[in-house]
Structures are given as C-alpha cells and as structure tokens.
Amino acid sequence: MSQLASWRTGSTRVLPGFGLSMGISVLFISLVLLLPITGLFGQLSELSLAEYWAIITEGRVVASYMVTIGAAAVAALINAVFGLLLAWVLVRYEFPGKRLLDALMDLPFALPTAVAGITLATLYASSGWMGQLLEPLGFQVAYTWVGIALAMAFTSIPFVVRTVQPVLEDLPAEVDEAAMSLGATDGVAFRRVIMPHIWPALVTGTGLAFVRSLGEFGAIIFIAGNMPYETEITALMIFVKLQEYDYAGASAIASVVLFVSLALLLAINIWQGRFVRRLHGGKG
C-alpha cells in the first residue's frame, strides 16, 4: 500500500527525474524540430521582404498553392467520412480478417510514398486496371487533380482512423444502445449521443490528414502529370528550386506551407481545448 501511495505521489519514478527527462526532451526537440526550422529561417534571411514576396506570389507558385490546398481539402473530407467509417467497423464489429484490415490501416505509413505513387499511376492510367474501366465512362484520374487528391487520401487516411479509433474504443456500445432503447433512431443516436464524444478526435484527425497532404511529394508526382498551372503541387515547386540551387527561394515557398500547417494545428488545438472545457463545464 505504501508503495502504491509513493508511486501516486511521484516519490518513486521508473524514468529519470524531471530535470533529466526535460533536458533530454528539449535536446531531442531542438535537434529534430528546431534546428531544421532555424536553418529554414537562416536561408530566408538572405532575402529582402520584396524578394520574398515576389517569390511566394509568382504566378506558377500561386497556382501550385491552389492545386495543393484544394486537393488536400478534398482528400481530408474524403478521409473524414471513410476514416470514421473504417474506425467504426474496426471497433464495433467482429468479422473474419479484422486483424488484417486493422494492420492495413498502417500500410501508408510503412509503404514508401514513391512506391504508392507509382502503383496508383499504374492502376489509374488509361492502360491500367482501373483506368480502363473509368475512362470509357468519362472519368480520368491519372494526371489530373483527382489523382492528386486520391494520392493524398491514400497517404493520410491513417491519421483519421488512428485518431478516432481509440475514442470509439473508450465509448461503450451500451451508450448508443441505451439511446435507441429510449426510442431514438439510429441517426439520432449517432448524431446526438456518439458524435459529440468523437467530434474533437474526428476534427483533429481530419486536420492532421490535411496538413500531411500539404507536404506530400513522392506519392503525388507520379500520378499528377506535373503540368504547370494545372497539376503542379507546392512540394514540386520547392523541389524545382532546390534543383536550381535556389535554396533561399525553396525556403521561401516552404515557409508558406509551414505557416499554413502551424496555423491550422494551432487553431485545432485551441478549438479542442475550448470544446473540452465547454463540455466539462456543461457537465458540471
């Protein structure tokens, strides 16, 4: 009993004390996150404000912003729907092959993105298995923005599934069963009972999927076609600048993606914190 009490009060620790643990954590963050960002801003310091503005507002670059953001938004919305459905199936049902399906959810993390891009381009090209079926119907996927959105959805769907799945696992099935036993329909039970609990996780997972799609490169360039002003993504613009040894220009474009990603993640965290406080306040 005394050992349990000492563990709860923190007098006995498995890991090192706060000072050492915090120091190692800060060192890791500095090497992995802060140092690359510092290098990015170091490259930006070589540009004047006018030069920086000229680079990030150049017509071809702005067109790549529109293609990237539009396709990432479509991919995130698709993943919000199907990611929630996959998480629901994995948590609430038992069926043969469930473990295999659960493992496949992590495939985009393990599979090299270039391999995914080549595979998708091969499948959805006019001579591919799927392309041969879709093109006679008037649907062209490869070398269009649709292919870009498809590649983004493939690489980012685990963020939605793995964010929503543990929340659903913590929500007992008896909760929605109780709602339906009181006369609520399936739709009402899902909307009024289940959705309020999983909503923050779903928004967070969708936001992470969107941010992940903004920086995707390998899975997209093989299926995009990379046509200027039509299917060029921002990551490709950065790559082109690097190929031209224009590190300052590449850093300028990358800083826009970084700013959008950080702003979105910050907004999600702030909203999630307020949502949780409001939810707990309502219960109180």
Side-chain angles (χ1 to χ4, degrees), residues 203-221:
V203 172
T204 301
T206 304
L208 291 175
F210 178 80
V211 172
R212 173 68 177 84
S213 298
L214 290 180
E216 181 54 47
F217 177 70
I220 297 175
I221 57 172

Side-chain angles (χ1 to χ4, degrees), residues 84-229:
L84 173 59
L85 180 61
L86 285 168
W88 180 270
V89 169
L90 289 173
V91 172
R92 292 299 176 92
Y93 299 103
E94 294 293 335
F95 54 91
K98 176 179 177 179
R99 290 184 180 273
L100 177 61
L101 180 61
D102 193 23
L104 286 176
M105 291 299 99
D106 294 324
L107 181 62
F109 288 151
L111 188 68
T113 55
V115 175
I118 294 173
T119 303
L120 291 173
T122 303
L123 284 174
Y124 288 96
S126 58
S127 59
W129 294 349
M130 297 298 298
Q132 289 178 342
L133 299 175
L134 294 176
E135 287 203 4
L137 300 176
F139 296 103
Q140 184 178 357
V141 176
Y143 316 125
T144 66
W145 74 268
V146 179
I148 298 175
L150 177 65
M152 289 179 173
F154 174 81
T155 56
S156 60
I157 193 170
F159 288 96
V160 179
V161 176
R162 294 312 188 200
T163 305
V164 175
Q165 189 174 358
V167 179
L168 282 174
E169 289 174 347
D170 290 338
L171 185 65
E174 291 80 5
V175 173
D176 45 298
E177 291 174 358
M180 288 185 288
S181 68
L182 294 175
T185 62
D186 292 346
V188 172
F190 180 81
R191 187 175 66 254
R192 301 292 297 272
V193 178
I194 300 173
M195 201 60 180
H197 290 275
I198 65 175
W199 181 245
L202 181 61
V203 172
T204 301
T206 304
L208 291 175
F210 178 80
V211 172
R212 173 68 177 84
S213 298
L214 290 180
E216 181 54 47
F217 177 70
I220 297 175
I221 57 172
F222 295 101
I223 197 174
N226 306 320
M227 292 179 286
Y229 298 94

Side-chain angles (χ1 to χ4, degrees), residues 12-37:
T12 302
R13 299 180 178 89
V14 176
L15 295 178
F18 173 77
L20 181 58
S21 300
M22 187 65 178
I24 295 174
S25 301
V26 171
L27 176 63
F28 178 81
I29 292 174
S30 300
L31 293 176
V32 176
L33 296 178
L34 298 182
L35 189 59
I37 293 177

